[in-house]
Amino acid sequence: MQIKPEELKYNSDGLIPAIVQDVKTREVLMMAYMNSEAVARTLSTGETWFWSRSRQKFWHKGESSGNVQKVKEMYFDCDKDTLLLLVEQKGAACHEGYYSCFHYALAPDGTVTVKGEQLFDPEKVYGKNK
């Protein structure tokens, strides 16, 4: 079986959700969106590329911070409408400086606890506008 990026199922905006996990620990690092070109770039370079909905442009993970993601395995689900990428993460995946974007734990009473340590100061990496 072979599949081309354009054969995956994209939403009405031409995007497909991509869940990114650490290849060794299986910790979920982030979720972002790809279009068919981002999927093709990811497959050809071995590093993650996404489509930024807010900036309306391609985004090579780690282009500003140096925290790149080396893709080790890539899957699509049975409906072909969601991707799963297993990566080797360099540094933090989150733009807030944490290893995972999922570092806010929500308790039943609404209390939020931050889990994990901040690995870098976002203002030093991205400036004050992030």
Side-chain angles (χ1 to χ4, degrees), residues 83-101:
L83 298 174
L84 173 63
L85 292 85
L86 301 180
V87 304
E88 203 171 78
Q89 176 67 49
K90 179 182 177 190
C94 180
H95 74 277
E96 291 185 357
Y98 292 86
Y99 187 66
S100 169
C101 292

Side-chain angles (χ1 to χ4, degrees), residues 9-17 33-35 51 53 81:
K9 292 182 185 171
Y10 299 88
N11 67 19
S12 59
D13 294 323
L15 302 174
I16 188 170
Y33 290 93
M34 295 180 159
N35 60 17
W51 179 255
R53 295 176 301 160
D81 64 0

Side-chain angles (χ1 to χ4, degrees), residues 29-119:
L29 301 177
M30 57 180 283
M31 197 292 289
Y33 290 93
M34 295 180 159
N35 60 17
S36 62
E37 178 63 24
V39 172
R41 287 183 188 194
T42 297
L43 289 169
S44 68
T45 65
E47 293 184 353
T48 55
W49 284 83
F50 303 101
W51 179 255
S52 171
R53 295 176 301 160
S54 60
R55 293 177 284 163
Q56 291 293 297
K57 69 176 199 168
F58 287 104
W59 157 44
H60 179 215
K61 181 66 177 155
E63 66 188 331
S64 299
S65 65
N67 296 327
V68 296
Q69 296 172 334
K70 299 282 186 186
V71 178
K72 298 301 177 184
E73 298 176 48
M74 190 168 174
Y75 298 87
F76 57 86
D77 72 335
C78 53
D79 294 323
K80 297 183 189 169
D81 64 0
T82 304
L83 298 174
L84 173 63
L85 292 85
L86 301 180
V87 304
E88 203 171 78
Q89 176 67 49
K90 179 182 177 190
C94 180
H95 74 277
E96 291 185 357
Y98 292 86
Y99 187 66
S100 169
C101 292
F102 296 94
H103 55 272
Y104 294 109
L106 181 59
D109 67 358
T111 303
V112 176
T113 307
V114 176
K115 301 286 186 169
E117 293 179 35
Q118 197 174 41
L119 301 178

